[in-house]
Amino acid sequence: MPEIFHALGLHMHQPLGNLDLLLDTNRWEAEQILLAYERPLHFLKRFETSAKFHFGFSGTLLEQLADPLIQEKSKGIVDLGAMLAGYRELPNIELVGMGYFHPVFPIIPIEDWEEQLWLHKQIIERVFGKKPVGFFPPEMGFSMEMIPYLVDAGYSYVIVDSVHIRNENGQPVTPYKTYWAEWKGKRIAIVPRERDLSNAQQSGMDPVWFSAEAKNKTKSVMPPVLITTWTDGENGGWFRNLSDGANFWGYFFAPYVEKKYSGEGIDTVFLSQFILEYPPVEKVEVSTGAWNVGSTSGYDFSQWAGSAAQKQALKEIYKLSATYWQRAKAGGSTSDLEFRQKLQEVRRLVLQAETSCYLFWGDSWLPQLYELIERAYRVMP
């Protein structure tokens, strides 16, 4: 057994329409982002038998990457069709689910959770031919009430930020183990994301430093030891840098994996494999919260619902969702094709309006959210 198991993960997301916009208005940024999606293939093929990695792709990102118009515009940068096929063929990646439109689940209507989950799972299976086994909540927004929905959708584990996990006595737990949590009779494995080392993964780190830091942090932890680091995979200069000598994959990942052969005692692992071999034994409670992003700590949802404008936008989302469900139930038995088509269009607009980015970026993006809401009311049968 290695001294430490390391579960590496990246979160990939673009709100609907963003790639098309960037390709038209800021092609240089679009190129950096698209190459950040393609770059992992080269390194994971190189270390196909020696490294394991996790990826979460939002439904809206996959919809854009598979769009023939986006693929045509991206020619000369990346062959997106070949890229998706490359991910499909990689044997050393584990895919995780999210929500199709990347919502912060605890702050959107609970009535919309199920469809966000199932739509995302369907596109993962369609694009990659694989079922996601674990779940990475968008923005790491998690609440215990989500557990039955995740279990019913077929997920066996969920990654949450380690700062939110407490044992049954209310005390913090080590982030270097897996746990289990239960809600309304449904149980799921809880995987803590190690916040400090994930921060380092996001901003840039040296493989020698990481190995030493990982061992120092876990020296008093009884084996098996698991470190889970998870970050965005296309944001920031560290991941977008076109020089492999100065980005995550070339500067950190390749030498990190190669170091393993010299007896470093750290081995990459699939979370599903680790949980199967070392099932969690301790029950925990997870406080509702998110990850640390922007200037916020993740102990609340102030990044998405802190301002008066954000709170009002959320009220409008709830109102629209309630109106949709009212109309859907009222017309549940109708055979009117036009009614059903309009209702389906409204449904998609409701779910799209729940995309976290519109709330995250506040005043500059809220007009896009209101445009979706207004379109939904115009179409509403």
Side-chain angles (χ1 to χ4, degrees):
M1 180 193 300
E3 293 177 45
I4 298 170
F5 292 97
H6 186 189
L8 286 142
L10 290 181
H11 159 267
M12 309 290 208
H13 167 62
Q14 293 293 325
L16 203 59
N18 206 49
L19 284 181
D20 192 38
L21 176 66
L22 289 173
L23 284 164
D24 286 342
T25 63
N26 192 341
R27 195 168 178 84
W28 169 238
E29 184 176 3
E31 179 176 348
Q32 290 178 298
I33 292 171
L34 292 174
L35 289 173
Y37 295 142
E38 185 200 39
R39 191 172 297 114
L41 287 175
H42 306 297
F43 287 90
L44 290 170
K45 285 179 180 177
R46 177 177 162 189
F47 298 107
E48 190 172 291
T49 61
S50 57
K52 298 179 176 68
F53 215 96
H54 302 77
F55 287 96
F57 296 89
S58 71
T60 53
L61 172 59
L62 290 177
E63 182 177 326
Q64 293 171 89
L65 295 177
D67 185 333
L69 294 177
I70 301 293
Q71 292 184 353
E72 181 65 28
K73 285 186 178 183
S74 300
K75 283 184 176 178
I77 302 174
V78 175
D79 183 336
L80 295 180
M83 182 188 78
L84 292 175
Y87 275 105
R88 185 185 181 100
E89 294 164 5
L90 278 177
N92 54 334
I93 65 169
E94 181 160 294
L95 297 167
V96 297
M98 293 197 281
Y100 190 96
F101 288 96
H102 201 267
V104 182
F105 277 89
I107 65 173
I108 68 166
I110 198 169
E111 294 83 1
D112 298 337
W113 287 6
E114 186 175 348
E115 197 161 0
Q116 291 277 11
L117 292 171
W118 282 104
L119 285 174
H120 185 258
K121 192 169 186 181
Q122 288 169 4
I123 196 170
I124 288 286
E125 293 183 33
R126 186 166 68 250
V127 172
F128 298 114
K130 302 174 184 177
K131 291 184 178 181
V133 292
F135 188 77
F136 184 88
E139 312 289 7
M140 297 206 78
F142 180 79
S143 67
M144 294 285 285
E145 290 82 358
M146 292 168 62
I147 292 175
Y149 292 85
L150 299 181
V151 173
D152 289 347
Y155 294 114
S156 60
Y157 67 82
V158 58
I159 301 106
V160 303
D161 200 290
S162 57
V163 302
H164 303 305
I165 306 172
R166 297 288 185 273
N167 63 22
E168 291 189 279
N169 295 322
Q171 298 301 309
V173 298
T174 176
Y176 309 116
K177 298 285 184 181
T178 59
Y179 304 93
W180 63 273
E182 187 175 36
W183 192 263
K184 292 187 175 180
K186 299 292 179 72
R187 178 186 295 196
I188 198 167
I190 300 293
V191 177
R193 167 189 178 257
E194 214 279 12
R195 179 176 279 201
D196 292 339
L197 292 175
S198 293
N199 289 344
Q201 177 175 302
Q202 183 69 66
S203 58
M205 58 187 179
D206 176 88
V208 175
W209 172 87
F210 178 87
S211 298
E213 188 72 3
K215 290 180 180 181
N216 182 58
K217 280 176 169 285
T218 60
K219 61 187 177 184
S220 61
V221 180
M222 292 291 292
V225 175
L226 173 70
I227 293 177
T228 301
T229 55
W230 213 291
T231 61
D232 286 342
E234 77 278 74
N235 291 325
W238 174 237
F239 282 96
R240 292 188 184 184
N241 197 307
L242 302 186
S243 171
D244 286 342
N247 62 36
F248 169 84
W249 293 99
Y251 185 81
F252 171 77
F253 181 76
Y256 177 63
V257 174
E258 288 166 344
K259 274 282 187 181
K260 190 180 66 174
Y261 297 115
S262 60
E264 283 291 307
I266 302 178
D267 200 359
T268 57
V269 69
F270 287 147
L271 286 170
S272 61
Q273 173 192 348
F274 182 89
I275 291 168
L276 183 64
E277 294 184 14
Y278 308 104
V281 296
E282 184 176 357
K283 184 180 180 181
V284 294
E285 297 286 327
V286 182
S287 301
T288 300
W291 62 358
N292 53 309
V293 65
S295 60
T296 60
S297 64
Y299 286 99
D300 57 27
F301 296 107
S302 59
Q303 183 68 51
W304 304 272
S307 72
Q310 289 169 322
K311 291 174 182 176
Q312 183 59 43
L314 274 170
K315 287 182 181 178
E316 296 300 329
I317 289 173
Y318 271 78
K319 180 181 176 182
L320 174 62
S321 178
T323 303
Y324 162 80
W325 283 110
Q326 184 181 37
R327 297 297 294 139
K329 291 172 183 176
S333 60
T334 183
S335 58
D336 186 331
L337 180 60
E338 183 180 3
F339 178 92
R340 290 188 172 278
Q341 288 175 335
K342 286 185 175 181
L343 201 62
Q344 188 174 10
E345 185 178 350
V346 171
R347 185 63 183 142
R348 180 174 168 86
L349 290 168
V350 171
L351 298 176
Q352 186 181 348
E354 294 168 350
T355 301
S356 68
C357 306
Y358 301 130
L359 294 165
F360 180 93
W361 295 109
D363 292 346
S364 61
W365 277 54
L366 285 177
Q368 296 184 58
L369 190 157
Y370 279 107
E371 182 182 341
L372 292 169
I373 291 174
E374 290 167 7
R375 282 171 55 193
Y377 281 120
R378 287 198 300 268
V379 176
M380 189 81 69

